[in-house]
Amino acid sequence: MSCPDSSLSARYSLWRGLLAAVSGLYLAGALSGCAALLPRGEAQTSKPWSNFSQAHAAYERITPYLTTTGQLRQEGIDPLTTPNITILNYADIVRRLLPPSGNDLALDPGIRDCMQAQTACRGFEIDQRHIDRKRVGNFWLDFLDFRRETVTTGWRFNMLLLVVDDRVVYKLWGGQPEISEVETTRNPLGPLQGFGQSVLGRY
């Protein structure tokens, strides 16, 4: 009986080593772009302003008892066409701004004039925001649920206007100029983390 050709076995081992090396290089190249596969979400209502500074500048240009609803439309504030503007009626305004005691001595003059005008007074509540949520970190740790890290950035701006006879009588603003949050979730058992709880829940 003849023995196997040693040269054939050597060539087989060489080809197998080359194949493993090429596969390793391909995998490394693929993994370098895996971060782009992580989930990303965006919540945007930033119209007519693209950032917090623009929204606040528009608010500063509003002057109670001088600014009209026509001038508001020029600023892009039109409850009939601008998204995310809530129109408040007289009852809504009373619930939000009138003290429970009914004492109006400390109220802003614009609020008092709104209360006296009653149904002739309207409120515009503007809520604008731009929130960006992005998962960062190692793709495989995230994919297998061992470690997930989410970075949230953006801004929020809220504005309240009271209008009597098509003229602004009161304004108020609030919000967050800069949102920056990092949320990290760790599961030592990865995809098996909730397996035990699901099994125990059956008994």
Side-chain angles (χ1 to χ4, degrees), residues 58-196:
Y59 172 86
E60 290 294 324
R61 289 191 291 269
I62 299 173
T63 304
Y65 295 98
L66 292 179
T67 302
T68 64
T69 53
Q71 293 171 319
L72 289 181
R73 286 193 291 271
Q74 294 177 0
E75 291 286 350
I77 303 174
D78 186 349
L80 298 180
T81 60
T82 306
N84 305 298
I85 295 183
T86 302
I87 301 176
L88 305 177
N89 58 33
Y90 176 71
D92 296 329
I93 297 170
V94 169
R95 284 194 296 268
R96 295 188 183 212
L97 299 178
L98 197 65
S101 63
N103 185 0
D104 63 351
L105 294 179
L107 290 178
D108 183 276
I111 299 178
R112 287 204 300 268
D113 290 344
C114 178
M115 296 297 102
Q116 293 174 359
Q118 297 187 5
T119 56
C121 179
R122 294 175 296 159
F124 299 155
E125 187 177 45
I126 300 110
D127 181 18
Q128 302 293 331
R129 66 187 184 278
H130 185 115
I131 308 297
D132 185 36
R133 295 182 178 87
K134 181 173 63 175
R135 292 240 282 271
V136 299
N138 184 277
F139 171 81
W140 291 110
L141 292 180
D142 186 293
F143 180 75
L144 296 175
D145 203 21
F146 282 101
R147 185 178 187 273
R148 288 182 175 177
E149 185 174 350
T150 305
V151 176
T152 302
T153 57
W155 57 273
R156 291 189 181 94
F157 187 85
N158 309 103
M159 185 191 309
L160 174 64
L161 304 175
L162 299 184
V163 177
V164 176
D165 295 329
D166 292 326
R167 192 173 298 273
V168 177
V169 297
Y170 177 78
K171 68 175 185 176
L172 184 68
W173 76 278
Q176 293 178 270
E178 188 72 27
I179 298 175
S180 180
E181 302 173 353
V182 178
E183 180 182 356
T184 303
T185 303
R186 293 182 176 87
N187 295 317
L189 299 180
L192 301 178
Q193 190 72 35
F195 179 74

